[in-house]
Amino acid sequence: MESEEEPHPVFTVDPEEWMQYVYKEVIATLEDGTQHRGWVYTIDPVTQNIILVEFPNADHPCMEFLMGHAVKGLIVTNDNTELHKSQLDQLFIPTEMVRLSPEEVRQRQKKLLLWLKKNRLPVELTSDECISISDALFIEAPYGVDNCRSTNEIILGRIQGLIKNMPEDVDGW
């Protein structure tokens, strides 16, 4: 006996439909009748969960996570996507990265590459500007201790130790 269930919305709703709301100000009406206003940061196409952000003051944005099953409708109240786009895009960027200029990030990358080469490690730069050590470890911008990714804990620990002990003047070392 087969049940006639509706397919999950991920199979019936085009993600482009959800993308039309990103960076826009909306009023979301929930099943219980409450309304939430904010700028759409993202919508998960699988769960249809929505992250709304409000900017009561410049330093402290407020976020609301709306569960997709509870959202009854969305109404766009401001479709100027450029108004808060840069603020929304910087919400989850590490503060260290926000403070650095592109030139400073490039200098850190060169310095770390030189330091790792001086320690005779097989280092190369990937197409997405990550530093790769034998495809076993990757270091992403801004090239600090916390920007290392590896599945091998031993390699990860040793490279992080090298980065922590990197002198200010790598050239003179």
Side-chain angles (χ1 to χ4, degrees):
M1 182 156 63
E2 291 183 25
S3 64
E4 294 289 325
E5 291 184 23
E6 280 189 36
H8 190 279
V10 77
F11 299 113
T12 58
V13 179
D14 185 9
E16 282 297 315
E17 288 182 45
W18 293 119
M19 288 301 295
Q20 73 176 339
Y21 295 108
V22 176
Y23 301 126
K24 295 181 181 177
E25 186 179 32
V26 299
I27 295 176
T29 305
L30 303 186
E31 290 289 330
D32 64 1
T34 60
Q35 293 186 331
H36 299 266
R37 175 184 224 112
W39 294 86
V40 176
Y41 176 67
T42 191
I43 300 177
D44 178 17
V46 176
T47 62
Q48 298 173 345
N49 293 344
I50 302 169
I51 298 178
L52 290 182
V53 181
E54 285 193 77
F55 298 95
N57 62 48
D59 296 337
H60 301 290
C62 295
M63 279 190 238
E64 286 187 284
F65 295 82
L66 306 178
M67 296 297 154
H69 68 276
V71 177
K72 190 164 79 173
L74 287 175
I75 299 170
V76 176
T77 58
N78 188 337
D79 61 358
N80 182 354
T81 57
E82 296 302 314
L83 191 60
H84 290 291
K85 184 179 186 315
S86 63
Q87 287 173 290
L88 289 167
D89 286 342
Q90 292 186 2
L91 282 175
F92 297 103
I93 295 176
T95 54
E96 179 181 346
M97 185 73 175
V98 174
R99 289 191 307 249
L100 295 175
S101 71
E103 183 56 36
E104 290 172 315
V105 172
R106 205 170 356 275
Q107 289 299 328
R108 287 178 121 198
Q109 179 194 64
K110 284 181 182 178
K111 179 180 168 185
L112 183 56
L113 273 169
L114 183 59
W115 176 243
L116 295 172
K117 286 178 181 177
K118 284 191 176 204
N119 281 279
R120 300 177 184 256
L121 292 168
V123 181
E124 58 186 40
L125 202 55
T126 64
S127 61
D128 58 348
E129 297 296 310
C130 286
I131 296 174
S132 171
I133 302 175
S134 298
D135 289 332
L137 182 131
F138 298 90
I139 308 168
E140 300 169 328
Y143 308 104
V145 174
D146 296 328
N147 306 113
C148 299
R149 289 186 289 121
S150 179
T151 56
N152 186 320
E153 290 182 38
I154 295 169
I155 293 173
L156 179 64
R158 295 217 173 134
I159 299 301
Q160 285 177 326
L162 267 176
I163 295 171
K164 284 178 188 173
N165 294 319
M166 181 171 56
E168 282 299 316
D169 182 24
V170 174
D171 291 328
W173 198 79

